């Protein structure tokens, strides 16, 4: 399966309409004061609470009602919200397209924005958007941890940890590093076994790579439907860019 890295357009002013390159929408204190349960779910105090991190559906609604939107923001099909730690905000048009492909366990929650009018600052409600919240891969059943490779450079350089204490051959050993209080190790190479569903058109990892991926078929459909606000990159180009810029790159291998 040929997968591409998937993300928002990352704040390109030509796409988002925001000259400063910042998010089109954001969370403000008013939203959090009305939705304390969502804030506690997204940023749990207990590091062992992995519900949000793995994308397990909560017992309450994740509707994002009344998020402030910049007055110059364009209504793209994929909205750039930098502080959204999981999932994406998509238009009804993009949702309809996604639902034609094979997705991981997911749910669409209603989203509305409050956008000031450019001329008189009157607040307009913008609807027709959804929070595409999906279950992310932990690797517990599908990743061959003993065959995969992990980047320990941050932990050894800045946390003064020894390589011997960062060796990972099982999911339990991997998760124990995070539960001990340290950042989770990022993968340099992920080796997936036969339990991984290679028919998935969209999937992602929370800890292992922080990347989300789409199939070539879904990418073609996005281009044909002219879905706006999307940025993708091939694995070959991602590797070259990482080599030039020193960025993190994770190789995907399917057994």
């Amino acid at each position: 399966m040929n997968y591409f890295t998937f993300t928002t357009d990352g704040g390109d002013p030509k796409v988002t309409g925001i000259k400063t390159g910042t998010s089109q929408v954001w969370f403000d204190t008013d939203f959090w004061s009305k939705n304390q349960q969502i804030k506690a779910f997204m940023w749990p105090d207990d590091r062992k609470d992995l519900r949000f991190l793995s994308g397990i559906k909560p017992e309450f609604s994740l509707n994002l009602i009344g998020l402030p939107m910049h007055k110059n923001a364009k209504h793209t099909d994929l909205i750039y919200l930098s502080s959204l730690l999981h999932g994406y905000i998509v238009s009804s048009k993009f949702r309809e397209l996604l639902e034609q492909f094979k997705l991981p366990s997911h749910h669409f929650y209603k989203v509305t924005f409050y956008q000031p009018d450019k001329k008189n600052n009157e607040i307009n409600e913008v609807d027709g958007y959804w929070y595409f919240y999906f279950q992310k891969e932990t690797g517990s059943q599908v990743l061959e941890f003993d065959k995969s490779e992990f980047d320990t450079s941050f932990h050894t350089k800045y946390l003064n940890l020894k390589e011997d204490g960062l060796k990972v051959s099982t999911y339990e050993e991997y998760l124990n590093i995070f539960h001990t209080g340290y950042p989770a190790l990022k993968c340099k190479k992920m080796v997936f076994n036969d339990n991984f569903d290679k028919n998935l058109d969209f999937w992602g990892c929370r800890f292992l790579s922080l990347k989300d991926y789409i199939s070539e078929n879904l990418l073609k459909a996005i281009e044909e439907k002219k879905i706006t606000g999307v940025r993708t990159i091939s694995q070959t180009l991602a590797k070259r860019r990482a080599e030039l810029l020193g960025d993190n790159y994770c190789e995907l291998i399917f057994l």
Side-chain angles (χ1 to χ4, degrees), residues 41-244:
F41 182 72
M42 289 189 177
W43 290 278
D45 293 328
D46 183 3
R47 290 173 66 89
K48 294 186 178 181
D49 185 350
L50 301 180
R51 295 177 305 163
F52 178 72
L53 299 179
S54 61
I56 298 174
K57 185 179 176 182
E59 61 276 9
F60 52 83
S61 173
L62 287 179
N63 293 336
L64 306 180
I65 305 301
L67 292 180
M69 172 179 268
H70 194 283
K71 65 180 181 180
N72 295 323
K74 295 181 180 180
H75 298 174
T76 51
D77 293 307
L78 185 65
I79 293 291
Y80 175 40
L81 174 54
S82 61
S83 55
L84 186 63
L85 297 181
H86 188 100
Y88 297 93
I89 296 179
V90 302
S91 67
S92 294
K93 175 184 176 181
F94 196 5
R95 172 182 175 173
E96 183 179 345
L97 176 62
L98 286 170
E99 289 181 316
Q100 297 175 29
F101 289 82
K102 187 164 186 180
L103 308 174
S105 179
H106 65 280
H107 193 84
F108 288 97
Y109 295 94
K110 185 177 177 62
V111 179
T112 63
F113 307 118
Y114 292 157
Q115 184 177 35
D117 187 276
K118 292 182 182 180
K119 296 181 179 180
N120 55 25
N121 280 331
E122 181 178 329
I123 302 299
N124 299 311
E125 182 174 286
V126 179
D127 57 14
Y129 282 92
W130 306 89
Y131 180 17
F132 172 40
Y133 179 81
F134 61 96
Q135 187 162 352
K136 293 210 167 186
E137 185 55 65
T138 65
S140 61
Q141 302 298 318
V142 303
L143 197 71
E144 298 289 317
F145 281 85
D146 58 334
K147 296 182 178 66
S148 300
E149 296 179 7
F150 302 88
D151 183 2
T152 61
S153 58
F154 176 86
H155 294 66
T156 55
K157 182 176 181 179
Y158 297 104
L159 303 179
N160 296 317
L161 299 178
K162 303 297 183 183
E163 283 283 357
D164 290 345
L166 297 172
K167 291 183 178 179
V168 173
S169 59
T170 66
Y171 172 68
E172 289 71 24
E173 290 176 349
Y174 175 82
L175 202 59
N176 183 61
I177 294 173
F178 178 76
H179 284 167
T180 303
Y182 299 112
L185 293 174
K186 301 301 181 290
C187 283
K188 294 189 296 183
K189 179 170 70 174
M190 290 193 291
V191 180
F192 293 93
N193 58 35
D194 288 337
N195 292 326
F196 182 83
D197 186 353
K198 299 182 183 66
N199 293 315
L200 281 174
D201 290 296
F202 194 109
W203 61 278
C205 301
R206 178 63 185 120
F207 287 130
L208 299 167
S209 73
L210 300 183
K211 303 293 185 182
D212 295 319
Y213 302 93
I214 63 170
S215 68
E216 189 169 8
N217 288 336
L218 177 52
L219 175 57
K220 290 179 180 178
I222 287 173
E223 294 171 344
E224 289 173 358
K225 294 293 184 180
K226 294 181 171 53
I227 299 297
T228 57
V230 171
R231 177 180 293 174
T232 61
I233 183 172
S234 69
Q235 293 304 293
T236 300
L237 185 56
K239 184 177 181 179
R240 291 176 182 171
R241 179 178 293 180
E243 292 171 347
L244 290 173

